[in-house]
Amino acid sequence: MASGVTVSDACKITYEEIKKDKKHRYVIFHIKNDTQIDVEKIGARNDSYEDFLTHLQAGGEGECRYGLFDFEYMHQCQGTSESSKKQKLFLISWCPETAKVKKKMLYSSSFEALKKSLVGVQKCIQATELSEASQEAVEEKLRSTDRQ
């Protein structure tokens, strides 16, 4: 079900700046005027995952948001003693249980349009509570796609 919500050029430009140029660590998106997904906050390259979570929830407990994060972690291939740094871009849909049904439906139905416009995102996550968006939960989901 498409919502008719469009994705702004700013979203695509900021995504490319993260993906190719590594200019930022993350970006928070919101739906502006129920018609367009737009950039709300851009995180500096040295910002932490905690900063990302704080800004993802900054709208309040009744607000939904999307977030894109350039996640880094160490990965050790099976049978080797060396670890390598991995980087994966993931997109998260944050819709807390306390958000109004209409807002949750709008964000849920618009998520696909955002995913399609951000080509190259390695993982999409939907979270309704903090435990699903925690650094540990996200890292576990990203590691599940690694080769052993």
Side-chain angles (χ1 to χ4, degrees), residues 86-145:
K86 288 271 219 177
Q87 287 185 293
K88 289 190 178 177
L89 289 169
F90 77 87
L91 186 63
I92 189 166
S93 172
W94 170 254
C95 282
E97 294 291 336
T98 50
K100 287 187 167 60
V101 173
K102 184 181 176 191
K103 189 156 289 231
K104 286 195 270 192
M105 286 176 62
L106 180 66
Y107 271 79
S108 177
S109 61
S110 304
F111 195 43
E112 200 59 40
L114 185 61
K115 284 194 276 190
K116 283 181 181 169
S117 69
L118 307 181
V119 178
V121 170
Q122 282 107 336
K123 191 80 176 160
C124 293
I125 298 168
Q126 294 189 340
T128 58
E129 55 188 51
L130 214 44
S131 64
E132 297 170 319
S134 73
Q135 187 166 349
E136 295 76 24
V138 168
E139 187 169 335
E140 186 179 316
K141 287 175 182 157
L142 295 177
R143 284 184 184 277
S144 71
T145 63

Side-chain angles (χ1 to χ4, degrees), residues 33-49:
N33 304 325
D34 291 349
T35 60
Q36 188 174 55
I37 299 171
D38 204 3
V39 172
E40 183 176 63
K41 168 85 176 132
I42 298 173
R45 193 70 197 161
N46 60 354
D47 279 3
S48 69
Y49 191 76

Side-chain angles (χ1 to χ4, degrees), residues 14 17-19 22-28 41-52 67-73 85-90:
T14 306
E17 289 175 349
I18 291 174
K19 181 181 166 192
K22 303 292 182 197
K23 278 187 181 177
H24 320 290
R25 176 63 61 196
Y26 65 87
V27 60
I28 306 294
K41 168 85 176 132
I42 298 173
R45 193 70 197 161
N46 60 354
D47 279 3
S48 69
Y49 191 76
E50 290 304 314
D51 296 328
F52 171 69
L68 177 87
F69 192 89
D70 189 4
F71 198 88
E72 294 178 350
Y73 60 96
K85 185 166 94 170
K86 288 271 219 177
Q87 287 185 293
K88 289 190 178 177
L89 289 169
F90 77 87

